[in-house]
Amino acid sequence: MRKTLLTLMCVGSMITTYAGGFRVSLQGIKQAAMGHTGVAVVHDASSAFFNPAGLALIDSKWSVSAGVFGISAEANYQNRLDGSSYNTDNSLGTPFSLYVSHKLSDKLAVGLGVYTPYGNTVDWGNDWPGQALIRDISLQAFFIQPTISYKLNDWASVGAGLIYATGGVELNRAFVAAGNVNLKSDSADGIGYNLGLMLKPHEKVQIGVNYRSEVKMEAEGDAKVTSNQGTELPGLADTWKADLPLSAELTFGIAYMPTDKWTLEFDLNYAFWDSYKSLDFDFIQGNLPDSSSVRDYENTFIYRIGASYDFNDRWTGRLGAYYDETPSPDAYFSPETPTVDNRALTSGVTYNFKNGFSIDGTYMFLSGKERSFTNVETGWAGDLKATTHIFGLGASYNF
């Protein structure tokens, strides 16, 4: 029985925050401001994430892009039987990204990306009705991606990246026979890849396709049980292991530039969530019972639109929106991943200096569609709402 640390991590981060599963869609400030589109447009070295085929199309020899986000997310659970409600009390999430690319020749480019697609905290507190399922969870995950990109001709390029993922997770929940069980791992690792294709069939039209493979994280950690008074119960100490599947994703995008000042883009993401069947923990010493919980996630679409307008040589404005479906069915909903259908509005500006340096800012608002659920395994039922505010600041330098 092995299955899930990363899953848990993912779950935790996604749920309270923004994406329909446990993915955190915040890998570029400019792209975030345009509804997180970007598979068909090249801005800078951040194409290493959105479409590695774009690195060969950057005009400058070097490109550097970095950004950080601040995420304020809140989920509200309401008990249908007595009307009581409970809110999460999450700390500010701060995912970041850093990309560098270099042109080795007119056709060949290489790059490196470091980003945090999973990293957040979900805190329901110690006194809410679902504490036996989850009290709090925090996670950190870093993806490191070396990339190569080649320009085939004036209208086509290809690219590929190798993904090494590493991270850690910690969660707490109430333990029936004592007070609290703590599961913690400082390391989880996995490998994946990223493929891209960019086409320019017309001087005003660009098309992009990007595929990111599933990353299976393997994790091991320690389990610690404490009494209600905080005293550790050594007879219940254990170690555990789990596999953590992060879903594959296929994205198609098309961009249209009606004038030199306007760029319009539409992206369609398809996430292969159906690989996440259950969340399983295998306790090695046998002091704690193995656990398995059905999740039965479903594949989903994300619909994204974005636009940018160059007011002059210095200022660029951006707007966007997207609709992100939740992969979690009502019959197996769990509060460790309070995922909902999200409707997002995005905005942002860029100030361009004359030497290729620019500063970017973005703001995003996500309104979660209220959902009602009854878990057929645990009987856990209620209504859930979620809202998220996201701020982002970044800079890029092409030289």
Side-chain angles (χ1 to χ4, degrees):
M1 275 223 199
R2 314 173 74 202
K3 248 180 192 171
T4 311
L5 201 191
L6 232 251
T7 291
L8 244 189
M9 297 157 73
C10 299
V11 171
S13 72
M14 278 199 133
I15 294 172
T16 20
T17 56
Y18 14 20
F22 26 83
R23 180 177 29 78
V24 178
S25 295
L26 295 171
Q27 276 74 50
I29 301 293
K30 295 182 177 71
Q31 294 88 344
M34 295 178 63
H36 213 254
T37 58
V39 73
V41 173
V42 178
H43 297 284
D44 48 41
S46 58
S47 286
F49 172 83
F50 290 92
N51 190 339
L55 294 186
L57 305 180
I58 297 174
D59 293 332
S60 58
K61 197 171 185 64
W62 286 92
S63 178
V64 180
S65 176
V68 62
F69 293 88
I71 303 168
S72 176
E74 182 179 84
N76 172 269
Y77 163 78
Q78 183 168 42
N79 189 318
R80 281 197 225 97
L81 298 178
D82 59 17
S84 60
S85 65
Y86 302 85
N87 295 328
T88 56
D89 183 19
N90 306 322
S91 59
L92 187 72
T94 56
F96 71 90
S97 60
L98 173 64
Y99 307 95
V100 180
S101 70
H102 176 58
K103 293 282 285 288
L104 297 175
S105 69
D106 289 340
K107 291 188 173 182
L108 182 64
V110 295
L112 179 68
V114 180
Y115 47 94
T116 53
Y118 306 94
N120 213 330
T121 299
V122 179
D123 188 351
W124 285 103
N126 294 340
D127 299 319
W128 82 299
Q131 59 178 298
L133 300 172
I134 188 72
R135 281 175 165 168
D136 62 78
I137 178 172
S138 63
L139 67 96
Q140 290 182 324
F142 301 90
F143 277 31
I144 302 169
Q145 182 191 311
T147 303
I148 187 168
S149 180
Y150 187 74
K151 183 179 178 180
L152 301 172
N153 49 49
D154 290 339
W155 55 272
S157 64
V158 295
L162 177 67
I163 297 171
Y164 170 68
T166 182
V169 64
E170 181 175 9
L171 70 90
N172 290 283
R173 60 189 177 196
F175 190 63
V176 177
N180 185 78
V181 59
N182 172 276
L183 304 180
K184 184 177 182 180
S185 172
D186 294 325
S187 64
D189 303 284
I191 296 292
Y193 59 89
N194 186 9
L195 302 175
L197 168 68
M198 294 195 80
L199 303 173
K200 191 172 185 177
H202 186 274
E203 62 178 4
K204 295 186 177 182
V205 177
Q206 293 182 173
I207 295 172
V209 180
N210 176 235
Y211 176 76
R212 271 190 296 280
S213 74
E214 180 180 277
V215 176
K216 288 189 176 181
M217 302 287 282
E218 296 182 354
E220 294 185 3
D222 298 319
K224 182 172 67 176
V225 178
T226 56
S227 68
N228 289 322
Q229 291 71 40
T231 303
E232 183 175 350
L233 305 177
L236 294 176
D238 212 325
T239 56
W240 56 269
K241 57 184 179 180
D243 290 342
L244 322 170
L246 307 181
S247 70
E249 183 177 277
L250 178 65
T251 303
F252 168 82
I254 182 167
Y256 176 56
M257 288 68 73
T259 71
D260 291 341
K261 293 181 177 293
W262 280 99
T263 297
L264 311 174
E265 182 169 357
F266 170 76
D267 282 8
L268 178 64
N269 301 103
Y270 186 72
F272 299 86
W273 284 112
D274 61 352
S275 62
Y276 185 25
K277 299 297 185 184
S278 62
L279 177 59
D280 305 326
F281 285 94
D282 182 10
F283 291 96
I284 299 170
Q285 276 78 47
N287 295 328
L288 294 172
D290 293 342
S291 68
S292 177
S293 302
V294 176
R295 292 295 178 264
D296 203 18
Y297 271 27
E298 300 166 347
N299 296 339
T300 61
F301 284 100
I302 308 172
Y303 310 88
R304 305 179 184 278
I305 58 172
S308 70
Y309 181 76
D310 296 327
F311 294 102
N312 49 50
D313 291 342
R314 296 299 181 90
W315 289 98
T316 300
R318 297 184 172 85
L319 292 173
Y322 65 84
Y323 182 75
D324 189 357
E325 300 173 337
T326 175
S328 173
D330 293 339
Y332 297 104
F333 177 84
S334 174
E336 97 250 341
T337 308
T339 175
V340 298
D341 292 336
N342 270 313
R343 300 156 292 196
L345 296 175
T346 67
S347 63
V349 295
T350 293
Y351 184 80
N352 301 291
F353 295 84
K354 289 185 177 180
N355 60 356
F357 182 75
S358 63
I359 295 177
D360 309 297
T362 186
Y363 168 72
M364 310 169 67
F365 174 71
L366 281 66
S367 174
K369 185 178 179 181
E370 184 173 351
R371 66 181 298 180
S372 299
F373 59 89
T374 300
N375 188 303
V376 297
E377 274 193 321
T378 64
W380 175 253
D383 301 322
L384 184 81
K385 296 184 291 186
T387 57
T388 304
H389 298 271
I390 302 172
F391 303 87
L393 183 64
S396 60
Y397 186 33
N398 296 328
F399 60 100

